[in-house]
Structures are given as C-alpha cells and as structure tokens.
Amino acid sequence: MNIKVDITEQREDFARLEIAGEIDAYTAPALREKTEPLSKQEGIHVVADLSDVSYMDSTGIGVFVGLFKGIKANGGHLQLIGLSDRLKRLFDITGLADIMDINSEVKGGME
C-alpha cells in the first residue's frame, strides 16, 4: 500500500496538494506528516486534489478532519477536490460533506 503526497504549488497564503494512492492505517501517518505543517499556517488556503486516491478508510477521514480543524483554527480554508463517487460518499455518510468544502471549483489557486 503506497501513498504519494506532493505540494505542487505553495505561496505564503496558498498550497496545493496532489495525493495519490491509498489512504489507510498504514499510509495515513505519511499524509499527516506532510500536511500537518500546513495546518499551522495563519490564513492559508489549502486545495487537496484527491483525483488519484483509489481508496480511503476511516483513518484517512481522520487525517482530513484534523487538517480541517487545524486550518480553520488558524483562519484558513481547506478545499478537497477530485473526489471519486466512492470517496464523496464516505464524506456524505459521515456528515463531513456538510461541513467541509468538497469537490467544488478551485478558488484562490493559480490555475
């Protein structure tokens, strides 16, 4: 089980993550390690592209909840894009889709 997490764009107030692979109990620590510094930056807008995530379990959900809470506590915004129907359903079932900015248009990036 592998995961790849790349910060493909970063400015003082913006970061874009591209995540690929599976997010589970084995790979979640690597994802958390890469994203945790972003959650501590004041007023950052983070866009996480999950287009290439093939699988995610509750451990992965936990990483994104932690990231969301940290970013929000520091006046920032987390946006998740590129979710497959399966991943979107995970966020819907947990009620997180009502709280988090999921699968909407990218705002704030240099697209």
Side-chain angles (χ1 to χ4, degrees), residues 41-82:
Q41 291 185 14
E42 290 290 323
I44 193 165
H45 179 141
V46 176
V47 174
D49 186 346
L50 280 65
S51 298
D52 294 325
V53 172
S54 57
Y55 173 82
M56 181 165 48
D57 66 10
S58 60
T59 313
I61 292 281
V63 172
F64 285 107
V65 167
L67 181 61
F68 172 76
K69 285 182 175 181
I71 289 172
K72 187 171 181 169
N74 287 303
H77 185 81
L78 173 64
Q79 183 179 21
L80 304 179
I81 63 169

Side-chain angles (χ1 to χ4, degrees), residues 11-62:
R11 302 187 303 268
E12 184 177 319
D13 63 344
F14 179 82
R16 181 183 180 96
L17 298 169
E18 292 191 7
I19 303 165
E22 299 180 356
I23 306 171
D24 57 22
Y26 298 104
T27 61
L31 177 60
R32 186 177 295 111
E33 182 181 324
K34 190 81 171 193
T35 59
E36 190 172 15
L38 296 173
S39 70
K40 297 176 181 177
Q41 291 185 14
E42 290 290 323
I44 193 165
H45 179 141
V46 176
V47 174
D49 186 346
L50 280 65
S51 298
D52 294 325
V53 172
S54 57
Y55 173 82
M56 181 165 48
D57 66 10
S58 60
T59 313
I61 292 281

Side-chain angles (χ1 to χ4, degrees), residues 6 8 23 31 33 35 37 43 46 48 56 58 65 71 83-84 91-92 94 98-99 108 110:
D6 290 320
T8 58
I23 306 171
L31 177 60
E33 182 181 324
T35 59
V46 176
M56 181 165 48
S58 60
V65 167
I71 289 172
L83 279 73
S84 66
F91 283 91
D92 287 340
T94 58
D98 296 332
I99 301 167
M110 295 181 73

